[in-house]
Amino acid sequence: MSFVDEGETFSRIARITGPVTSDDTRRLVEEGHEGILLDHESVDAASSLRWIAEVPALRFIELRGRIVTPSLAALEQTSVRSLIVRTNHARPVPTADLRWATHIHSESSDFAADGWVGLPRLENLVLGRVGGEVITAGDGCSALTHLKLQGKRQTAALRWETPPKKLDSMLLLALRCRDVAALSGCRALRSLHIENPALLVGGDVVDVSPLADLPVLDSVGIAENLPMEGVPSLLGSEAPFGWLPVAKGHHDGDPADPRLREYVFRTTS
């Protein structure tokens, strides 16, 4: 026996425990397994995943623990389209090996060795442990609609050479943005929220005027970002958001504007 049924509530997950035989693949097909779980105890870098093509019901793969990740390029020829990396200790893989994926949830932003860019099928991307002062995740991902990034309480700038034009929602946690100009190319963006533990004062000021170019922006929460300028431009746009939250005393808008909501936040220096 090369796998154990994990018995998940909403899907059947097979934990691979050794080389997969033809009898194993037959059982996976007959029992309707939808996902497979790989961990550091069950595979090594030389393990082949080509057998997955023989199980058309499989939809996702999950990695756990200190896994020496096998080649994921073989999944291009399978029905698997979702990847869950529930560990920050997995061996990174070349980004090109993930071009098959439409949904990725990775606890480590370092898992894609060349960055989360140029993935043409990717629709949903959730990343943890995002570091550095430049964010490129999503660049060149033409199908991307949802992006969620959790940082390390740092201030970073968005840098996209080819913005994801289909992006519908974006959520940044424990991150601040010093530059959101790249978002002006995401004209399908409806929801933008940037949340971090406290305002940073006495440092960079973010210009939010590029967001005025987003014609369908209807939910925006960026008050906890850096002190803002360009607020009058955003408030004067035709974007359908009901109101704009701002940090009291840390913006250049008119407090009397009916679309403005001022809040008092804890600040740091």
Side-chain angles (χ1 to χ4, degrees):
M1 187 62 62
S2 298
F3 63 88
V4 183
D5 186 357
E6 290 282 296
E8 297 283 341
T9 302
F10 298 108
S11 59
R12 302 199 67 183
I13 301 178
R15 179 178 179 272
I16 304 304
T17 60
V20 176
T21 67
S22 58
D23 287 339
D24 294 330
T25 57
R26 187 178 306 110
R27 177 182 164 187
L28 286 167
V29 171
E30 292 174 351
E31 297 183 0
H33 285 81
E34 298 177 0
I36 60 171
L37 167 62
L38 306 179
D39 61 25
H40 69 289
E41 297 178 345
S42 58
V43 297
D44 57 33
S47 298
S48 173
L49 301 180
R50 295 185 183 280
W51 60 268
I52 292 178
E54 301 174 27
V55 190
L58 289 178
R59 294 292 181 266
F60 65 93
I61 182 172
E62 180 175 328
L63 308 181
R64 295 183 189 174
R66 295 182 178 275
I67 182 172
V68 182
T69 317
S71 174
L72 301 181
L75 298 181
E76 176 73 37
Q77 307 302 322
T78 73
S79 58
V80 174
R81 289 295 174 262
S82 297
L83 171 67
I84 303 169
V85 184
R86 207 177 298 278
T87 174
N88 65 327
H89 298 296
R91 181 183 66 86
V93 300
T95 301
D97 288 2
L98 303 175
R99 290 174 64 86
W100 49 268
T102 60
H103 296 76
I104 296 177
H105 186 151
S106 176
E107 293 187 10
S108 171
S109 63
D110 294 329
F111 184 72
D114 312 301
W116 301 91
V117 300
L119 298 172
R121 297 181 183 177
L122 189 61
E123 300 174 5
N124 191 312
L125 177 61
V126 179
L127 295 180
R129 298 177 181 269
V130 176
E133 297 183 353
V134 176
I135 296 174
T136 59
D139 190 16
C141 298
S142 56
L144 189 66
T145 58
H146 301 283
L147 178 62
K148 178 181 177 181
L149 306 176
Q150 181 159 2
K152 301 178 179 179
R153 300 190 180 187
Q154 78 273 30
T155 299
L158 288 170
R159 291 286 184 268
W160 288 331
E161 294 184 5
T162 307
K165 294 184 178 181
K166 293 184 179 181
L167 190 64
D168 178 87
S169 66
M170 182 172 182
L171 172 61
L172 303 182
L173 300 173
L175 273 168
R176 301 180 179 93
C177 277
R178 68 162 49 88
D179 187 350
V180 296
L183 286 173
S184 64
C186 302
R187 294 179 61 80
L189 191 64
R190 294 181 179 273
S191 175
L192 172 63
H193 289 263
I194 301 174
E195 302 176 7
N196 32 257
L199 264 83
L200 176 67
V201 297
D204 295 301
V205 177
V206 65
D207 179 6
V208 298
S209 61
L211 303 182
D213 295 331
L214 305 180
V216 295
L217 186 65
D218 63 12
S219 178
V220 55
I222 55 177
E224 294 182 40
N225 198 55
L226 296 167
M228 291 184 286
E229 65 180 17
V231 172
S233 177
L234 179 53
L235 290 172
S237 72
E238 296 182 358
F241 62 86
W243 49 279
L244 177 68
V246 295
K248 188 174 183 178
H250 299 288
H251 65 91
D252 62 352
D254 180 0
D257 191 298
R259 299 181 79 190
L260 200 66
R261 296 290 187 276
E262 289 189 312
Y263 293 91
V264 176
F265 292 93
R266 178 173 61 88
T267 61
T268 63
S269 58

